[in-house]
Amino acid sequence: MKQKTYIGIDLGGTTIKGGLVSAKGKIIEQLTLNTPSRKKTIIQRVERMVSQLISSSKECQGIGLSWPSSVNIPLKGSEMRRRLEKKIPLPVWVENDASCFALAESLIGAGKNYSVVLGITLGTGLGGGLVINQKIFKGKGGASELGHTILDFHGPKCECGNAGCLEQFVGKKGLARLAKQHHFATKEGAALYRLAQDGNKKALRIWQVLGSFLGIGLVNAINVYDPEIIVLGGGISQAGKFFKKAMESEIKRRSFLKPGLIKVSQLKKGGVIGAALLAKRSFDKSPN
Ligand SMILES: [Zn+2]
């Protein structure tokens, strides 16, 4: 294969996704493995995945790592980068997973015609990434940790040490909490999705409550960033049809600013693409 390629690795709480991606953000080859709990095994799996993807392309230029906040995973992205750089003769860049997702959306996804794009990932927790004029906004390095903005300061304890963070109410953690409160035997998103699909009233109610919480969280983000478009991604976003109405009515009721568009991501593997495009942009900017 002659064309220039980039590797994107997206580490999630459940799976590690990897892809060989073209300069235009098209996935050429992809791999998925389960995310192990042990740090050592995560390192081995990522190394194996990268080696396998590199062997498919002679023109691979660099590697991008889409990494979650360290409270959710026992291995920091910076450490993974050092490990890879020791083994593989390619530059490696690491970025927050929601920022990678937002970058992909702003370059080739729902946000491509807008200058201020807010990406929200609804996975195990809630991640936020802001892209302004196709550049990730990082503040002085850590923005945008929307999952740890406070929704209820008397609320449930969060892994970050605070209480009542937004991600305790939405994402898989929030869903599990709601399922328990409503006396469901299951706390799995997929099962609650199927129950809602079958018209189960309690399951539908759970998704509505989650939508209201998400709406309130988004009001805070809208009032601070005033994005032209918010793109929702991650596994939980697939249940958008069950929570969208409650989310939108909360936003309409509470937002100080006039909200822009809100869409569910249509990109397959946005995190992988975003990480690879981050590697491309960083490579293009680097002196070599
Ligand atoms: Zn928190």
Side-chain angles (χ1 to χ4, degrees), residues 71 145-150 156-168 173:
V71 288
E145 289 291 353
L146 292 174
H148 299 284
T149 53
I150 316 298
K157 251 191 137 226
C158 182
E159 287 85 351
C160 73
N162 213 327
C165 293
L166 175 59
E167 76 167 27
Q168 295 301 319
K173 287 184 213 170

Side-chain angles (χ1 to χ4, degrees), residues 11-243:
L11 181 78
T14 324
T15 56
I16 310 171
K17 300 186 188 86
L20 191 65
V21 178
S22 76
K24 288 193 169 155
K26 195 166 172 279
I27 295 185
I28 300 158
E29 191 180 325
Q30 52 188 314
L31 296 166
T32 303
L33 293 170
N34 290 332
T35 307
S37 52
R38 288 179 62 213
K39 179 176 160 178
K40 203 177 143 192
T41 327
I42 298 177
I43 294 172
Q44 286 167 347
R45 286 201 185 162
V46 172
E47 284 177 350
R48 199 164 9 116
M49 197 176 246
V50 168
S51 306
Q52 207 173 324
L53 290 167
I54 285 180
S55 67
S56 305
S57 169
K58 286 200 176 74
E59 294 290 332
C60 188
Q61 310 291 304
I63 301 159
L65 303 176
S66 159
W67 220 253
S69 306
S70 51
V71 288
N72 293 329
I73 225 90
L75 171 67
K76 282 195 171 164
S78 51
E79 186 178 348
M80 190 67 242
R81 181 183 64 209
R82 281 196 298 277
R83 298 280 189 134
L84 278 175
E85 281 177 337
K86 266 188 203 161
K87 281 210 158 179
I88 291 155
L90 282 176
V92 184
W93 290 276
V94 59
E95 185 50 83
N96 172 272
D97 53 356
S99 292
C100 285
F101 165 74
L103 182 67
E105 287 297 338
S106 84
L107 294 175
I108 62 162
K112 73 175 175 192
N113 296 319
Y114 301 96
S115 351
V116 185
V117 179
L118 179 65
I120 299 285
T121 54
L122 297 163
T124 310
L126 179 144
L130 183 71
V131 175
I132 303 172
N133 295 326
Q134 303 192 332
K135 249 189 98 186
I136 297 170
F137 172 77
K138 297 291 296 176
K140 61 178 173 52
S144 306
E145 289 291 353
L146 292 174
H148 299 284
T149 53
I150 316 298
L151 206 65
D152 171 11
F153 60 80
H154 292 306
K157 251 191 137 226
C158 182
E159 287 85 351
C160 73
N162 213 327
C165 293
L166 175 59
E167 76 167 27
Q168 295 301 319
F169 296 90
V170 295
K172 287 181 191 163
K173 287 184 213 170
L175 200 60
R177 190 184 310 281
L178 285 169
K180 202 176 160 195
Q181 280 167 5
H182 287 74
H183 311 292
F184 266 107
T186 180
K187 55 182 175 121
E188 296 301 321
L192 292 164
Y193 179 92
R194 281 193 299 273
L195 284 165
Q197 192 86 307
D198 293 342
N200 181 300
K201 286 213 171 73
K202 255 183 4 178
L204 285 164
R205 176 77 194 131
I206 285 180
W207 287 110
Q208 281 166 8
V209 177
L210 182 134
S212 299
F213 285 141
L214 180 60
I216 296 169
L218 291 184
V219 164
N220 293 335
I222 290 165
N223 288 344
V224 174
Y225 293 136
D226 194 15
E228 288 171 278
I229 183 167
I230 297 176
V231 191
L232 304 176
I236 297 286
S237 71
Q238 299 308 308
K241 62 177 173 184
F242 299 129
F243 67 69

